[in-house]
Amino acid sequence: MTEMTEATNMETSPVENNNELALITPETQPKRRKKKSMVWEYFTIETVSAGCRRACCNRCKQSFAYSTGPKVAGTSHLKRHIAKGTCPALLRDQYNNQLTPYSPKTGGGEPRKRRYRSPSSPFIPFDQDRCRHEIARMIIMHEYPLHMVEHPGFIAFVQNLQPRFDKVSFNTVQGDCVATYLREKQSLMKLIEGIPGRVCLTLDMWTSNQTLGYVFITGHFIDFEWKLQRRVLNVIMEPYPDSDSALSHAVAACLSDWSLEGKLFSLIFNHPTSEAGLENLRPLLCTKNPLILNGQLLLGNCIARNLSSMAKDVLGAGHEIVKKIRDSVKYVKTSESHDEKFVQVKNQLQVPSEKSLILDNQNQWNTTYQMLAAASELKEVFNCLDTSDPDYKLAPSMEDWKVAETLCTFLKPLFDAASILMTTTNPTAITFFHEAWKIHADLGRSIANDDPFISNIAKSMLEKIDKYWKDCSLILAIAVVMDPRFKMKLVEFSFTKIFGEDAPTYIKIVDDGIHELFLEYVALPLPLTPTYTEEGNVGNNGKTDESQQGNLLSDQGLTDFDVYIMETSSQQMKSELDQYLEESLLPRVQEFDVLGWWKLNKMKYPTLSKMARDILSIPVSAAAPDSVFDIIIKQLDEYRSSLRPETVEALICAKDWLHHGSEESNALVKMEF
């Protein structure tokens, strides 16, 4: 029954007969039906004239059309007046925590259960547990303090928003956050358990104002869709971060927590590690994991830490000049009048530079480089600033500016390389092979410079890039070989630039290493271990359908033929690796997807693609994107370090997992089974 029919039945109108009103006595008057719509708690029907009635709002006294003769307006517009909040009197009532349109009280009794639900604002039942869950997610994602749930301002806000919400304590919300962490961890564990390749780990050591250490362990792996994934796995508190056993203890805890024994491929650390510390790590990793290439790929250094260390040396060599320029920039930037005079001089001299002066953050070397680069382009302005501002007496000399430009020359390639870690979602070893060998070659030429200042800086930097190259060149080179645009050709070219006449020796090391590594993958036990089971075999746990293969397995007629093939072809048949290396290089397109290429060619190179999957998952940096340019060790804030270590781990890991989204992980897990 429509609202119009309902409204017609609810009201008894005068009977018209020959334009005359027929009087109906109480005895003959039809029995009125009680109005059921909630609007009649807010409206009263008033007769304006014969055959015309209007509905008057009891709160704001506004009048609305109801009926004119046989035409009835219905109640929809009356409901909108109440439900949409257009009634000013109701708005005042809601502001004062009075009755709302959705919970009217009659006669001091319980609220009526029937409530109006408009299509644009559907009724949603209150759920205390869901609200607590969303508060926990909010705290995790935005790093709010757990104590905020006990702050008077937050309590007042929630009570005005939903009076039925029960207050939660610090301990309650802490438990909710840990519960969110555990739910997300289960999804991630299913994903990691089913990936077809190995996992690489990066270790980043943080400190705190209590001198406690926190080891951030991040896992890197390639999923079934050949997409490189990165997840924070653990944040482990170490009471003695400088001890030789700190890193080995953290790694052992991670391997046990995530069941990674036998699946670890490489380990990159962003913390100066002593030889004793490395000696503690090697036996642990060797007993928990099969040796890959005699462990030559197992341990590596963080490129971000090495770049920061070299940049620190450069700035240290010219620290007096850097301070002079910083003081000049500070003089201009900390006073509005000084800044205006600086701009006036720049305009008068018509200096073409578009750069703006910045004052650096001395904990991040990139800001110091940017300060020096901008100031050097505006050096003419600084030299002439005293003509319009007699108070300025800090102008560096021409010799100082020459030194600053030299510092910028050394810092620029470091800045460009480190910026890749900031701008690229998942920078690969292939990219940093290019950067590392170019920096190495440039420094080799700079050592021969006649200027002792330049040659000394180059010598200090070359020692550090040499050590990094010694530790990581094999990893970087093998990764380049797995790029069909370069293969061994780029290794041969770059090594010739770096090592000169000794290049063939180092090229042979890479060539022998990659062939030995390939043979290790060929020798994997059959049937394939779960770690290397491909997507197509996951549904039946790697087992072959006997109904399809039974005839072939029982057919002994071709046994002699198989022997013949082996005897006549063993010498001529080339391995997948040799076939791959001998094929022509692909064009060097800018937006080339290496992992996508291997995904398309995994059937052509079944064994080599498994090797490529592991190699291309090796990260080059253990530093978080916001820590790439740090000169000092990252420090956990005072609030976080006051929490229990388990809570700190839950908050940091859960934030990372929620950022990536659990839905993506679940979708990948479903593909496995």
Side-chain angles (χ1 to χ4, degrees):
M1 183 178 293
T2 64
E3 289 181 344
M4 185 175 294
T5 305
E6 177 188 357
T8 304
N9 292 336
M10 286 190 299
E11 287 298 318
T12 303
S13 60
V15 180
E16 296 185 15
N17 186 15
N18 297 325
N19 297 327
E20 293 182 1
L21 295 177
L23 296 179
I24 301 177
T25 63
E27 292 77 6
T28 61
Q29 183 177 5
K31 185 176 181 180
R32 297 191 181 190
R33 294 176 55 188
K34 186 178 181 180
K35 301 181 182 67
K36 295 182 179 180
S37 177
M38 63 161 284
V39 300
W40 303 118
E41 298 177 17
Y42 298 89
F43 289 90
T44 301
I45 298 176
E46 297 179 348
T47 301
V48 178
S49 62
C52 179
R53 291 176 298 169
R54 297 181 66 83
C56 180
C57 178
N58 298 333
R59 302 297 181 90
C60 67
K61 304 305 179 183
Q62 291 187 50
S63 178
F64 297 87
Y66 179 62
S67 69
T68 304
K71 185 177 180 181
V72 180
T75 59
S76 297
H77 62 306
L78 306 182
K79 291 178 181 178
R80 286 194 294 271
H81 178 69
I82 300 299
K84 297 296 185 181
T86 56
C87 178
L90 279 177
L91 287 176
R92 288 194 298 270
D93 289 345
Q94 292 176 37
Y95 181 78
N96 295 323
N97 273 338
Q98 300 294 323
L99 299 177
T100 68
Y102 296 99
S103 57
K105 294 186 178 181
T106 58
E110 293 296 323
R112 293 179 56 132
K113 293 184 179 180
R114 181 175 178 178
R115 299 178 182 180
Y116 169 66
R117 308 170 197 173
S118 67
S120 60
S121 56
F123 172 72
I124 300 176
F126 171 68
D127 188 337
Q128 173 83 12
D129 293 336
R130 180 171 180 80
C131 290
R132 283 176 46 184
H133 172 69
E134 291 301 328
I135 287 177
R137 285 173 57 90
M138 175 189 71
I139 287 175
I140 291 171
M141 294 175 66
H142 302 289
E143 299 185 10
Y144 296 142
L146 296 173
H147 287 94
M148 71 171 289
V149 296
E150 297 178 345
H151 293 171
F154 179 79
I155 294 173
F157 167 73
V158 172
Q159 287 297 313
N160 278 278
L161 193 65
Q162 176 51 263
R164 294 168 58 192
F165 181 76
D166 295 332
K167 291 190 299 183
V168 292
S169 65
F170 168 85
N171 290 332
T172 300
V173 77
Q174 180 178 236
D176 292 342
C177 290
V178 172
T180 301
Y181 157 78
L182 293 175
R183 281 194 300 269
E184 296 296 327
K185 185 175 183 179
Q186 288 300 315
S187 298
L188 184 57
M189 287 191 76
K190 290 180 181 179
L191 174 62
I192 294 178
E193 286 172 2
I195 60 174
R198 296 177 184 265
V199 178
C200 301
L201 298 180
T202 55
L203 276 67
D204 189 10
M205 177 73 80
W206 289 35
T207 186
S208 69
N209 52 7
Q210 294 98 354
T211 67
L212 299 173
Y214 291 85
V215 183
F216 285 59
I217 303 180
T218 305
H220 305 255
F221 55 90
I222 294 175
D223 62 27
F224 281 107
E225 290 296 313
W226 284 83
K227 300 296 183 183
L228 190 58
Q229 301 290 342
R230 178 184 184 275
R231 299 289 190 278
V232 178
L233 300 181
N234 293 99
V235 179
I236 300 174
M237 192 267 284
E238 291 293 337
Y240 307 101
D242 296 326
S243 67
D244 296 332
S245 60
L247 291 182
S248 59
H249 172 263
V251 172
C254 177
L255 295 179
S256 174
D257 190 20
W258 293 90
S259 302
L260 294 179
E261 290 86 352
K263 297 185 71 171
L264 181 63
F265 190 69
S266 74
L267 186 69
I268 309 293
F269 45 89
N270 185 30
H271 183 68
T273 306
S274 63
E275 287 299 324
L278 294 178
E279 290 304 316
N280 285 335
L281 266 176
R282 291 185 188 278
L284 167 69
L285 300 177
C286 293
T287 55
K288 298 288 186 181
N289 293 272
L291 284 178
I292 299 294
L293 203 59
N294 297 320
Q296 296 181 67
L297 306 181
L298 198 56
L299 295 174
N301 287 323
C302 171
I303 184 68
R305 181 172 64 85
N306 281 270
L307 295 174
S308 294
S309 179
M310 288 189 286
K312 190 175 181 180
D313 288 348
V314 174
L315 295 174
H319 69 278
E320 293 181 358
I321 308 301
V322 173
K323 185 179 184 306
K324 283 185 180 181
I325 295 176
R326 181 183 293 119
D327 290 341
S328 291
V329 173
K330 187 183 298 184
Y331 177 86
V332 173
K333 298 303 293 182
T334 56
S335 170
E336 187 174 348
S337 61
H338 296 168
D339 197 7
E340 291 176 354
K341 292 178 181 178
F342 187 87
V343 173
Q344 289 175 359
V345 174
K346 178 185 175 182
N347 294 335
Q348 291 171 0
L349 296 175
Q350 297 182 348
V351 178
S353 176
E354 297 295 330
K355 291 186 177 179
S356 300
L357 293 178
I358 64 167
L359 196 59
D360 65 330
N361 173 4
Q362 297 183 48
N363 293 331
Q364 293 191 314
W365 63 268
N366 63 312
T367 61
T368 305
Y369 161 70
Q370 292 168 329
M371 179 187 71
L372 294 176
S376 295
E377 289 193 11
L378 298 168
K379 61 184 177 183
E380 296 177 9
V381 184
F382 281 105
N383 292 336
C384 299
L385 184 60
D386 56 354
T387 58
S388 60
D389 188 354
D391 294 334
Y392 177 68
K393 305 182 184 302
L394 303 172
S397 64
M398 293 305 297
E399 187 64 26
D400 293 337
W401 288 117
K402 182 180 178 181
V403 172
E405 290 172 355
T406 300
L407 298 180
C408 289
T409 302
F410 280 109
L411 290 172
K412 186 179 187 308
L414 304 182
F415 175 78
D416 292 341
S419 295
I420 298 174
L421 296 172
M422 297 283 291
T423 57
T424 306
T425 305
N426 290 306
T428 64
I430 297 172
T431 304
F432 279 89
F433 178 85
H434 300 276
E435 301 300 326
W437 81 260
K438 285 189 295 184
I439 292 173
H440 195 288
D442 290 343
L443 291 175
R445 290 190 294 268
S446 298
I447 286 182
N449 195 289
D450 295 334
D451 188 334
F453 179 75
I454 294 177
S455 60
N456 288 336
I457 293 178
K459 182 179 179 181
S460 173
M461 295 174 66
L462 188 60
E463 290 177 359
K464 296 193 173 181
I465 196 67
D466 263 339
K467 185 179 185 309
Y468 176 80
W469 192 254
K470 178 182 177 182
D471 294 338
C472 302
S473 62
L474 184 60
I475 296 176
L476 299 177
I478 291 179
V480 167
V481 175
M482 292 293 99
D483 190 327
R485 297 172 297 172
F486 304 114
K487 302 183 182 179
M488 282 295 297
K489 294 299 183 181
L490 183 59
V491 175
E492 296 166 1
F493 172 79
S494 56
F495 278 24
T496 301
K497 296 285 186 180
I498 296 174
F499 301 112
E501 295 179 355
D502 297 330
T505 302
Y506 294 96
I507 293 171
K508 187 176 186 302
I509 292 175
V510 176
D511 188 66
D512 292 346
I514 197 167
H515 278 83
E516 182 181 344
L517 181 61
F518 176 73
L519 292 177
E520 291 187 21
Y521 276 81
V522 172
L524 286 173
L526 296 176
L528 295 178
T529 59
T531 302
Y532 293 94
T533 302
E534 280 295 347
E535 297 91 322
N537 296 331
V538 175
N540 56 10
N541 295 324
K543 296 181 181 179
T544 306
D545 188 353
E546 295 181 1
S547 63
Q548 297 178 0
Q549 305 257 346
N551 293 333
L552 292 177
L553 294 175
S554 61
D555 186 357
Q556 302 297 323
L558 297 178
T559 303
D560 294 339
F561 175 73
D562 294 336
V563 174
Y564 171 77
I565 291 295
M566 293 178 63
E567 290 176 349
T568 57
S569 304
S570 59
Q571 300 300 322
Q572 290 79 16
M573 290 182 65
K574 295 179 180 178
S575 68
E576 292 177 27
L577 177 59
D578 290 330
Q579 293 179 44
Y580 166 76
L581 293 176
E582 291 179 6
E583 289 182 351
S584 300
L585 300 180
L586 294 184
R588 291 195 308 276
V589 294
Q590 188 69 24
E591 299 297 329
F592 181 71
D593 182 4
V594 178
L595 296 179
W597 187 89
W598 280 106
K599 179 182 179 181
L600 293 174
N601 289 271
K602 66 182 179 181
M603 301 302 293
K604 182 179 180 180
Y605 303 112
T607 302
L608 190 60
S609 65
K610 294 182 178 70
M611 187 175 86
R613 186 196 293 267
D614 289 342
I615 291 173
L616 295 177
S617 67
I618 298 177
V620 291
S621 173
D626 61 346
S627 306
V628 168
F629 295 103
D630 285 355
I631 295 178
I632 61 173
I633 297 178
K634 203 78 171 177
Q635 188 173 51
L636 206 66
D637 61 75
E638 184 176 356
Y639 169 73
R640 286 273 174 106
S641 58
S642 68
L643 301 174
R644 294 186 307 173
E646 298 83 2
T647 304
V648 173
E649 181 177 51
L651 293 174
I652 294 175
C653 292
K655 180 186 177 183
D656 180 73
W657 303 340
L658 290 173
H659 171 73
H660 287 92
S662 58
E663 293 182 3
E664 177 185 354
S665 300
N666 291 334
L668 294 173
V669 173
K670 290 178 181 178
M671 293 181 61
E672 173 192 353
F673 295 102

